[in-house]
Amino acid sequence: MNLMDWQRWVTEQRVDEAVTFALNLVIAVVIMLVALVVSGWLRKRIVDVAADHPRADPTLFGFLGSLSKYAVLGLAAVLVLNRFGIQTASLVALIGAAGLAIGLALQGTLSNLAAGVMLVIFRPIRAGDYVDAAGASGTVRIISLFFTELTSADNLQIIVPNGQIWSSTIVNYSMNQTRRLDLTFGVPYGSDLKTVDAILGKVIAAEPRIHPKPAPVVKLSALAGDTVSFVLRVWVARTDWWPVSCDLIRTAKEAFDAAGITSASSAIPKIPPGDDGNATG
């Protein structure tokens, strides 16, 4: 292209268009940079609310922080598109049609996303709780949009899709601060029942970690093949459940031996792994 051709091609309209495009490009870069800074700052501020207030749920505020970050970035993207004259209404319709197709292909992933939102909103479990859900047991570490991360009692990482957790029965061992402890003791048929009652009553009275209310219960519960079964039912703090279980069995065994009831047996209730007072939460 010679000089004459170049002069004919460079018109005032083309120059204006180039200047406008360059200006829009600079503005778009500035918008995105500002959006990145603001979104990061906003997310950090929302997450810090949970750190500054002990009663605030860190899982909920972490989710809200991530949601606000992507909302700011999405708004910035719309502003950038408007700068270049792209009609966002038609773009939204196109995205909607594409989203429908993608949604049909990713039904499982979207169900996990929906379940993650429900877990964050209704909060049946929180970070730090020891739970049994979807066949997995452990301390909740992170509840993300698509999966929940648990740490097992032997320090293994367990990743469970949110959809499985939301659709299953959830047992939260950390929700209530007190738990009932049931122990069953079997004594020979020839034992004096009043003596057994008295022994178990003294065992309970000697344990300071047992709560006075609801009142402890000692009852004859069953006549087994070769033993008479007594049930001991007390309430303790959640973190004391496992150590009190072991200590009561030991104390009762020593008391029965001292009373000459040497064939006494006991059954400890099933304990969830890790719920021994050392589990997080």
Side-chain angles (χ1 to χ4, degrees), residues 184-264:
T184 301
F185 295 92
V187 298
Y189 270 89
S191 304
D192 183 76
L193 300 185
K194 292 183 178 180
T195 300
V196 175
D197 273 331
I199 290 174
L200 293 179
K202 291 179 180 178
V203 168
I204 293 174
E207 177 51 67
R209 290 168 293 183
I210 293 177
H211 294 180
K213 293 183 180 180
V217 173
V218 175
K219 294 291 184 181
L220 193 155
S221 60
L223 300 177
D226 55 356
T227 59
V228 178
S229 297
F230 281 78
V231 63
L232 183 153
R233 180 171 293 170
V234 296
W235 287 84
V236 297
R238 174 180 56 82
T239 54
D240 290 335
W241 193 90
W242 174 241
V244 170
S245 302
C246 298
D247 291 346
L248 285 179
I249 291 176
R250 181 184 182 91
T251 304
K253 175 63 169 62
E254 293 173 348
F256 283 134
D257 288 345
I261 307 176
T262 56
S263 60

